[in-house]
Amino acid sequence: MRERPTRDQALMAVARIMAARSTCNRRQVGAVLAVDGRILSTGYAGAPSGLPHCSPSVCDLTTPCTRTVHAEANAIAFAARNGIRMEGATLYTTLSPCIDCAKLLINSGVKKVVYAEQYRTTDGLDLLRSVGVIIPDLYA
């Protein structure tokens, strides 16, 4: 008999699929917002709606990106546009949130963040922890 994935494993798999949709050339990131194991919203990193996708002619990969909307922000924006309440939600993301996304997550009511890979700085995670957002230590 096959081993059934946990909810965290299943939702992280969905985040990885969303990351594959990312149009950012620097980093492919996907995110899922869920409550009680049920998906509320998804997002991936890429240019704002209606703008050209990232490409070498549009993006300079030698400098930090300023045009991509992060996966977490896109998931929050979709939920907000569609009247989906995020209070108490869990975020599943392929990359831990940056400081700006952490601020959005706090203000949207997210209570737990599960990530697959750590971002280059821990500022976002530190801020989330400082307000009591649960972040399982998957690397212990």
Side-chain angles (χ1 to χ4, degrees):
M1 186 166 165
R2 69 173 175 83
E3 188 173 321
R4 183 177 182 213
T6 66
R7 284 186 178 181
D8 283 353
Q9 290 169 334
L11 291 164
M12 187 59 75
V14 174
R16 286 188 176 102
I17 290 169
M18 296 312 298
R21 298 254 326 130
S22 176
T23 62
C24 179
N25 290 324
R26 288 178 61 94
R27 194 75 185 241
Q28 286 67 52
V29 180
V32 174
L33 286 167
V35 169
D36 295 331
R38 306 290 185 204
I39 295 172
L40 301 175
S41 181
T42 62
Y44 52 85
S49 296
L51 293 180
H53 293 309
C54 299
S55 69
S57 64
V58 177
C59 300
D60 178 1
L61 297 181
T62 64
T63 62
C65 182
T66 58
R67 69 187 302 270
T68 289
V69 179
H70 291 187
E72 306 94 323
N74 274 323
I76 291 168
F78 178 84
R81 285 180 69 175
N82 289 281
I84 300 169
R85 184 177 174 172
M86 293 166 276
E87 185 68 35
T90 297
L91 172 77
Y92 296 86
T93 181
T94 57
L95 186 65
S96 65
C98 70
I99 189 77
D100 290 328
C101 287
K103 294 172 193 175
L104 290 171
L105 293 164
I106 291 166
N107 281 354
S108 67
V110 168
K111 297 299 181 199
K112 181 178 175 182
V113 172
V114 179
Y115 64 93
E117 184 181 340
Q118 189 167 297
Y119 184 61
R120 60 184 157 81
T121 67
T122 61
D123 297 354
L125 293 174
D126 296 340
L127 181 63
L128 290 164
R129 285 186 183 105
S130 76
V131 297
V133 173
I134 298 165
I135 303 168
D137 189 2
L138 303 177
Y139 304 101

